[in-house]
Amino acid sequence: MNYTLNQLQIFVKVAQTKSITRASEELNLTQPAVSIQIKNFQSQFELPLIEIVGKKVYLTDFGKEIATSAEEIIEQVYAINYKMRAFQGQLFGRLKISIVSTGKYVIPYFLTDFLKENQGVELSMDVTNRGKVIESLKKNEVDFSLVSLPIDGDQYDYMDLLSNELFLVGNPELVAQNPAFNQNQLPSNLPIIFREPGSGTRMTMESFLENQEIHVVKKIELMSNEAVKQAVIAGLGYSIMPIIGIKNELQNGSLVIIPQKGLPITTQWKLVWNHGKKHSPVAKAFLQYVMEHKDRISQKYFK
């Protein structure tokens, strides 16, 4: 056996996400690079680790056992690094955060300086939809979660970070060609592009459409905000999107805001954690950092 720590980390991420594509995105690697490392890792075992049916990845029973062992090895490596940092008098450990997909436009600005100041802190961040974010929070798998809609229940504490505004947007050429938009009305046959079930953006859209008594005749469902944005730019339909993720497209003219009664919808980005949770020193330090700097960060990057 001659597998590397990098191969173990990649295999664990594939096992967690059940997807080569998702794993490559979260690891900031290309799909071919992930596939090659998985192939090299698999070559060291006589039994198959994964099965790919269609585009879905399934772990074999043997693969599940190896994934569990790989996670334990990685944890031990982290422990060695943490102990070294501790003897050097530095803050050390892992900060675990789960965020809704649009949160990728928000949370980096609250992390960058904190991580620069604390080189012994390692970040583990899962970018997914609201349903899975809340699930990870309920299972106490993370220190914090970032969401844009309130979470029901008194078992959570939270801190407001900044406002989140959502607008109806479309391809500017299509909007200009439709006279109904000039009358501040939505055409009855308007194709609407939704996120997948479990997405906070989808929940917000559905609530708006219901309150405005807008019946959607033609619906398209996509799995990420980036996919929705590209589909709207291409003219496949229209969508209600957080402005934080489309500022560049509005500036370069590939998207346009469509004025509509009841819009924009304003929600709040919230950093959420379990009530009564015993935070690690790293989590405590990060929470204190955000409390002290959130107004400065908001003014500098989001105004």
Side-chain angles (χ1 to χ4, degrees):
M1 293 293 178
N2 193 29
Y3 45 77
T4 65
L5 179 61
N6 184 49
Q7 289 174 343
L8 291 176
Q9 291 172 322
I10 290 175
F11 177 66
V12 166
K13 183 59 67 174
V14 170
Q16 290 172 343
T17 61
K18 306 293 191 296
S19 167
I20 298 292
T21 300
R22 280 284 308 280
S24 64
E25 290 174 351
E26 294 187 19
L27 293 168
N28 292 316
L29 297 172
T30 65
Q31 290 186 40
V34 171
S35 297
I36 289 171
Q37 290 301 321
I38 291 296
K39 182 179 179 180
N40 292 340
F41 186 57
Q42 172 66 79
S43 67
Q44 301 180 69
F45 301 93
E46 295 182 2
L47 297 175
L49 299 170
I50 63 174
E51 296 176 342
I52 299 179
V53 181
K55 293 185 178 180
K56 294 185 178 181
V57 173
Y58 298 89
L59 291 180
T60 64
D61 289 341
F62 178 64
K64 292 176 183 177
E65 294 288 337
I66 296 301
T68 299
S69 297
E71 288 180 5
E72 292 173 353
I73 292 170
I74 292 170
E75 287 294 334
Q76 289 300 314
V77 172
Y78 285 138
I80 292 171
N81 292 336
Y82 299 160
K83 289 176 181 178
M84 179 187 70
R85 298 290 184 182
F87 275 98
Q88 294 174 335
Q90 299 179 24
L91 183 66
F92 68 95
R94 267 204 294 179
L95 181 64
K96 297 181 180 180
I97 303 177
S98 62
I99 67 172
V100 295
S101 58
T102 317
K104 65 188 176 188
Y105 300 110
V106 176
I107 199 66
Y109 297 98
F110 292 87
L111 285 165
T112 300
D113 288 344
F114 176 77
L115 294 176
K116 285 181 180 178
E117 294 171 6
N118 300 282
Q119 296 292 320
V121 174
E122 297 182 20
L123 175 66
S124 174
M125 185 165 67
D126 184 27
V127 183
T128 183
N129 66 35
R130 175 183 168 85
K132 292 180 180 178
V133 166
I134 295 175
E135 182 181 354
S136 66
L137 196 62
K138 287 181 178 179
K139 292 181 178 179
N140 199 32
E141 295 174 342
V142 294
D143 299 305
F144 303 103
S145 292
L146 182 70
V147 296
S148 59
L149 293 175
I151 299 178
D152 294 333
D154 56 4
Q155 68 267 41
Y156 306 109
D157 292 328
Y158 68 89
M159 181 194 311
D160 286 335
L161 298 185
L162 59 125
S163 61
N164 179 42
E165 293 185 324
L166 296 93
F167 293 83
L168 178 66
V169 295
N171 176 295
E173 293 182 7
L174 295 182
V175 172
Q177 293 169 7
N178 199 318
F181 288 129
N182 297 328
Q183 302 170 19
N184 201 26
Q185 296 177 354
L186 291 182
S188 59
N189 62 344
L190 188 72
I192 298 291
I193 303 176
F194 288 83
R195 283 286 308 279
E196 79 284 3
S199 161
T201 300
R202 182 184 179 120
M203 293 170 61
T204 301
M205 286 180 61
E206 290 177 336
S207 177
F208 167 77
L209 294 171
E210 181 179 350
N211 291 337
Q212 297 296 318
E213 298 182 347
I214 298 172
H215 178 62
V216 178
V217 176
K218 191 174 181 180
K219 181 167 69 174
I220 300 171
E221 185 177 292
L222 299 175
M223 295 298 291
S224 72
N225 276 299
E226 188 62 30
V228 171
K229 180 168 65 177
Q230 295 304 322
V232 175
I233 291 173
L236 289 179
Y238 305 83
S239 191
I240 295 174
M241 301 195 69
I243 196 169
I244 196 169
I246 57 174
K247 287 183 177 180
N248 290 338
E249 289 71 22
L250 293 173
Q251 290 176 356
N252 66 31
S254 57
L255 287 177
V256 64
I257 290 175
I258 304 169
Q260 180 65 27
K261 180 183 177 182
L263 295 175
I265 302 167
T266 302
T267 61
Q268 287 289 323
W269 286 109
K270 299 176 182 292
L271 192 68
V272 186
W273 60 95
N274 287 315
H275 179 70
K277 182 176 177 63
K278 294 182 179 179
H279 287 302
S280 67
V282 167
K284 285 181 181 178
F286 177 66
L287 190 59
Q288 183 64 36
Y289 171 84
V290 174
M291 287 179 179
E292 293 176 358
H293 297 279
K294 65 173 185 171
D295 291 339
R296 174 186 62 81
I297 294 171
S298 177
Q299 287 293 327
K300 182 176 181 180
Y301 296 107
F302 301 101
K303 297 298 183 183

